[in-house]
Amino acid sequence: MAVTVTTLLDIAKANGSDAAVGLIEEVLTFAPEVQMGSARTIKGLGYKTLVRTNLPTAAFRNANEGTALVKSTYENRVVECYRLNPQWEADKSVADAYEDGAQAWIALEAEGIMRGAFIQLSSQFYYGTGTGGDTKGFPGLLAAYDSTNMVVDAAGTTDNVASSVWGVKWGPKDVQWVYGQNGDLTVTDLSVVRVTDSNSNPYSAYRQELLAYPGLQVGNIKGIGRIKKLTTDSGKGLTDSLLSDLYSKFAVGYRPDMWLMNRRSLDQLRNSRTATNPTGAPAPIPTDSLGIPIIVTDGITSTETLAL
C-alpha cells in the first residue's frame, strides 16, 4: 500500500485492550475500510475542522504590476463520534454444556456479533445516516464527497439494483477514521445476568459488550471519487474505462490509495477484460486497476437506488 497509516487495530493494541484486540483481529477481514483506513483518536466526541473545497489560481504578472491576492476556499465542518455498542448474551446452561467449554462458546457468539457490527460500520462509511447506514451513526462518504466534480455516471437504468465504486485517499488531510474518548475500545468483563425469554420467563445468561466511539473525517473533498449507477443492465457494469474516467478526476500527482467495490462489481470488471492467455481461459480475478489496489467489501450494496 502506498500509504502507511495508523489503524483501529493499532489503537486497540496501544490501549492495551487485549480482549478488543482479539475480537478486532477476527472480524476486520470483513470490514477492510476499517482495517486499512487511517485512524486517529480525540479526547472527546467531536471537534471542528477546516475542509479545503477549492485551490487558488495563481497568476503571472508584468514588470511593475501587481496581482490580486488569492487563497484557498475552506469550510468548517463538525466531526462527531457516535457510540458503537454491540452486546451479546449466551444461555449459561448452553455455554457450560459446550464441548469446548463456556469460554469457547462465548467467543464464538462474540465473534459473530462483532462481525455484524463491523460490517455495519463498513456500510456506515459509505451510506452514513441514509439507506444502507444507521440514522444514529455518523455521516458517510455520500454526504461528504464532491458529487458534482468527483463522480462518474455509469448510466445504469434499472432502479434498486445499482452499486457504487469508490476511490479513496487516506490520511490526516484526506479521509480518516476518528475514535473518540481517547480511542477507548472497551470489552467488558464477562458477567452472569438474569434475562427473560419471549414469554417473560427468566433464565441465567453470560453477558458481554464492546463500547467504541467511531466517526469519520473528510479533510479534502477532492480525496474521494465515486462511480455511480453500476447496474445489471447490459453494458452498465464496471470496466477499466470507468475506473480510468474516475482516476482522471483526481488532481495530477494525487491518486486514490484503493478502489473499494463489492463482489458484483469485481466480477463485472473481470468479465469486461479480454483474456490474453494461450489457453483462452477467462481473465483472472482483478487485483488492481491503473496500478491501484482493488479492495472488496461487503459494505457496498447492490441495491442502491438510481437517485442515490
Side-chain angles (χ1 to χ4, degrees):
M1 192 67 59
V3 60
T4 301
V5 297
T6 299
T7 68
L8 172 62
L9 187 57
D10 297 324
I11 292 171
K13 289 177 178 177
N15 287 351
S17 181
D18 292 339
V21 169
L23 282 174
I24 291 170
E25 286 179 324
E26 286 291 325
V27 304
L28 276 187
T29 53
F30 299 92
E33 308 83 353
V34 187
Q35 180 185 25
M36 299 178 177
S38 172
R40 64 165 292 192
T41 63
I42 60 174
K43 293 181 180 179
L45 293 176
Y47 60 96
K48 286 185 178 180
T49 185
L50 278 176
V51 177
R52 191 198 311 268
T53 56
N54 278 299
L55 291 170
T57 301
F60 291 95
R61 70 178 182 88
N62 295 319
N64 302 314
E65 287 183 354
T67 60
L69 295 176
V70 296
K71 63 179 181 178
S72 297
T73 302
Y74 294 92
E75 67 181 33
N76 284 111
R77 291 188 181 179
V78 176
V79 177
E80 293 184 273
C81 299
Y82 295 76
R83 290 171 180 82
L84 179 68
N85 187 206
Q87 306 174 39
W88 52 95
E89 294 174 346
D91 187 322
K92 186 175 184 301
S93 67
V94 173
D96 289 342
Y98 187 56
E99 185 174 350
D100 295 325
Q103 288 290 342
W105 177 261
I106 294 162
L108 183 66
E109 185 71 9
E111 191 272 336
I113 297 295
M114 285 292 293
R115 183 186 302 183
F118 275 90
I119 289 176
Q120 178 60 47
L121 185 59
S122 171
S123 296
Q124 197 75 21
F125 176 75
Y126 304 102
Y127 301 107
T129 57
T131 302
D134 189 326
T135 57
K136 296 180 180 179
F138 54 83
L141 295 187
L142 277 171
Y145 88 114
D146 183 347
S147 59
T148 299
N149 301 302
M150 297 298 293
V151 64
V152 172
D153 191 341
T157 57
T158 303
D159 205 8
N160 298 311
V161 297
S163 190
S164 298
V165 169
W166 293 87
V168 174
K169 178 71 175 176
W170 296 105
K173 295 182 179 179
D174 298 294
V175 179
Q176 69 174 0
W177 293 96
V178 179
Y179 293 95
Q181 300 294 81
N182 295 307
D184 184 27
L185 296 163
T186 304
V187 176
T188 62
D189 293 332
L190 196 65
S191 60
V192 178
V193 297
R194 179 182 180 272
V195 298
T196 57
D197 63 16
S198 59
N199 295 315
S200 299
N201 296 314
Y203 64 96
S204 295
Y206 290 112
R207 187 177 187 279
Q208 203 169 25
E209 64 181 271
L210 179 140
L211 181 60
Y213 301 88
L216 184 66
Q217 174 187 307
V218 177
N220 181 2
I221 62 174
K222 305 297 185 182
I224 317 164
R226 177 192 179 203
I227 303 174
K228 66 177 183 179
K229 297 185 183 179
L230 293 161
T231 67
T232 54
D233 301 307
S234 178
K236 305 304 179 183
L238 181 64
T239 64
D240 287 295
S241 178
L242 287 171
L243 288 168
S244 181
D245 289 343
L246 182 58
Y247 180 79
S248 71
K249 302 285 185 179
F250 288 82
V252 174
Y254 192 86
R255 55 191 273 133
D257 293 312
M258 58 182 66
W259 302 122
L260 289 154
M261 64 186 69
N262 63 22
R263 289 177 176 84
R264 190 185 77 181
S265 292
L266 181 69
D267 191 52
Q268 289 174 340
L269 180 62
R270 184 191 66 80
N271 287 331
S272 75
R273 293 183 173 183
T274 302
T276 57
N277 58 75
T279 65
I285 295 175
T287 58
D288 72 278
S289 181
L290 304 170
I292 298 170
I294 291 171
I295 307 299
V296 179
T297 175
D298 286 327
I300 301 174
T301 74
S302 293
T303 56
E304 294 177 2
T305 66
L306 296 177
L308 196 62

